[in-house]
Amino acid sequence: MNFSSRLLENAVNEFSKLPGIGQKTALRLVLHLLSQPSEDVGRFSESIIRLKKEIRFCKICGNISDAEVCEICTSPKRDKTLICIVEDTRDVMAIENTNQYFGVYHVLGGLISPMDGVGPSELNIEPLVERARTSPVQEVILALSATMEGDTTIFYIYKKLKDFPCKISTIARGIAFGGEIEYADEITLARSIATRVPYGV
């Protein structure tokens, strides 16, 4: 792609680093920004800078938060004895959109994937074990994607938690094998949570 401006080229190259954004889409986005008032572009830039500088991760569950502890963990309406384990914040948002789950979460920050060099120590698993040990947890729901990495992670966490006095369940396989949680429709996801089954090997 030939550019008439080095500044334009640099901006397009940066946008095209975003997942799912090719150079043509990146060019469209950059040209759109150029056509906007400076104040709007300034607010856009400032929101990205503030996001990177000020975003925090909940010290209890690991979810993205504005404060030290997220709104879900501090809410008196949530059942703290029920923990739903998810891969990342996108899965929290997907489950929250079903309006069918009223417990709390634990965000792993990924899945075990030896092929990608991701082992248990790279994930937020030990804090989960500590939560199960020190909190009055009655049930842990393993709501991970039905992939090889998801099943490997489920098995690992099960082995870590099986001796604790809490029920361990996994969401029903209304989510097809190989499916990602974030792409499931809300009805299927809600049904999978509601019809969760005990996990054991």
Side-chain angles (χ1 to χ4, degrees):
M1 190 177 288
N2 296 319
F3 295 93
S4 58
S5 161
R6 181 59 59 86
L7 291 172
L8 178 65
E9 181 178 3
N10 290 342
V12 169
N13 287 338
E14 291 304 314
F15 269 89
S16 64
K17 291 176 183 177
L18 296 171
I21 304 294
Q23 281 219 322
K24 287 184 179 180
T25 302
L27 177 60
R28 252 194 326 272
L29 293 171
V30 171
L31 292 177
H32 172 75
L33 285 177
L34 280 176
S35 70
Q36 300 305 299
S38 296
E39 296 80 12
D40 291 352
V41 178
R43 281 193 295 272
F44 175 80
S45 302
E46 179 64 22
S47 69
I48 299 299
I49 292 169
R50 286 192 63 193
L51 173 72
K52 185 62 180 174
K53 283 185 177 179
E54 299 176 21
I55 203 73
R56 305 170 83 170
F57 292 91
C58 176
K59 70 175 186 177
I60 296 175
C61 72
N63 194 17
I64 288 175
S65 174
D66 290 337
E68 191 173 37
V69 179
C70 72
E71 292 182 357
I72 293 175
C73 286
T74 56
S75 172
K77 296 180 180 178
R78 308 301 290 231
D79 181 359
K80 307 296 195 301
T81 68
L82 182 61
I83 300 178
C84 184
I85 301 173
V86 296
E87 179 182 350
D88 58 32
T89 296
R90 291 172 297 183
D91 297 332
V92 172
M93 295 170 69
I95 293 171
E96 284 296 287
N97 285 337
T98 69
N99 293 314
Q100 296 295 312
Y101 177 71
F102 305 104
V104 292
Y105 295 91
H106 191 87
V107 180
L108 297 177
L111 298 173
I112 296 172
S113 178
M115 293 288 289
D116 298 319
V118 180
S121 61
E122 278 77 50
L123 303 179
N124 194 25
I125 293 177
E126 283 309 313
L128 169 64
V129 176
E130 188 60 24
R131 258 179 109 176
R133 180 182 292 115
T134 59
S135 303
V137 179
Q138 294 181 6
E139 183 179 359
V140 169
I141 304 170
L142 298 162
L144 302 178
S145 297
T147 60
M148 189 66 70
E149 293 80 8
D151 282 350
T152 299
T153 307
I154 286 173
F155 179 74
Y156 181 85
I157 292 174
Y158 170 76
K159 298 292 277 185
K160 298 287 282 188
L161 299 181
K162 67 183 177 67
D163 293 328
F164 290 107
C166 63
K167 179 181 177 184
I168 301 174
S169 59
T170 182
I171 57 175
R173 293 299 193 185
I175 311 296
F177 186 81
E180 301 285 345
I181 292 286
E182 65 176 299
Y183 298 124
D185 66 272
E186 293 172 8
I187 294 174
T188 299
L189 190 53
R191 188 178 295 122
S192 293
I193 291 285
T195 61
R196 59 188 179 273
V197 295
Y199 183 81
V201 292

